[in-house]
Amino acid sequence: MSDINKDAHKHDLLGGRLCLDFANTVSWHDSSEKSQEMLTSYEKLVNWSLHANILKKQQSLSLLKKAENRPSKAKEVLHQAIELRESIYRIFSLVSNNETPASKDLSILNKALGNAYGRLRVVPDENKFSLEFIDCEETLDGMLPPIIQSAIDILISGKELSRVKKCEGAPCGWLFLDTSRNRSRRWCSMSDCGNRAKAKRFYHNKK
């Protein structure tokens, strides 16, 4: 992912799954010098959640209004979201390299999972039933349960878990689900890191 100055709610969703898109809310995630945090405020967290279709417009407006009245709680939720994101990022970074995630990161995810499942309800869906998170606009951390659910879905799915990859355009670090038939995807985006790698090869061959 190239250097960006745009807000988190405007960047492309290239991960293929919600939790991976959430993990990608840092540009140049693998670089301690060049990394850029996108979620610099609670408002940006809400706007990204709207962009990622976790929240509807009215829900996002409701949360922002609540945050105005509870700024310290909004700040706490932002910290919680970033901690969750980094644990998800580290877990899937290691998984993409066939390594075992750290127990600390799994503990963070498991704790978040326990909190999130208290908001699940079984609801009728035509001739079947489905699980649905409720009251997302009622609590300031209402955008987090669907992200957690997305991470769990991948982790317990052997098929999808084996398709999690990290962009080869170091130090991009963005994660994605490789859905190509022959599992040949290498970049977060061919128009970004892919083209940069192509230009670099051309330069070295020319030299």
Side-chain angles (χ1 to χ4, degrees), residues 14 167 184-199 201:
L14 303 172
C167 179
S184 60
R185 183 177 169 185
R186 300 173 61 191
W187 322 106
C188 62
S189 170
M190 191 61 216
S191 63
D192 195 337
C193 287
N195 276 344
R196 187 177 298 106
K198 185 177 179 181
R201 285 196 303 270

Side-chain angles (χ1 to χ4, degrees), residues 28-39:
W28 298 120
H29 213 151
D30 263 355
S31 172
S32 57
E33 294 81 19
K34 296 178 66 177
S35 64
Q36 293 181 318
E37 174 64 69
M38 298 182 197
L39 304 180

Side-chain angles (χ1 to χ4, degrees), residues 15 19-20 23-24 29-30 87-102 106 154-155 157-169 172-178 183 185-187:
C19 63
L20 302 182
N24 293 341
H29 213 151
D30 263 355
S87 69
I88 288 174
Y89 181 74
R90 289 189 294 265
I91 287 170
F92 286 110
S93 290
L94 288 170
V95 164
S96 71
N97 200 37
N98 296 315
E99 297 180 49
T100 303
L106 290 175
I154 297 179
L155 287 172
S157 169
K159 183 178 179 181
E160 289 202 343
L161 188 61
S162 65
R163 288 182 176 268
V164 175
K165 290 185 179 180
K166 179 182 284 191
C167 179
E168 294 182 16
C172 169
W174 273 21
L175 299 166
F176 58 87
L177 192 73
D178 183 2
R183 305 193 182 200
R185 183 177 169 185
R186 300 173 61 191
W187 322 106

Side-chain angles (χ1 to χ4, degrees), residues 101-116:
S103 57
K104 179 181 177 181
D105 289 319
L106 290 175
S107 293
I108 292 172
L109 182 58
N110 279 325
K111 181 179 179 180
L113 175 63
N115 294 332

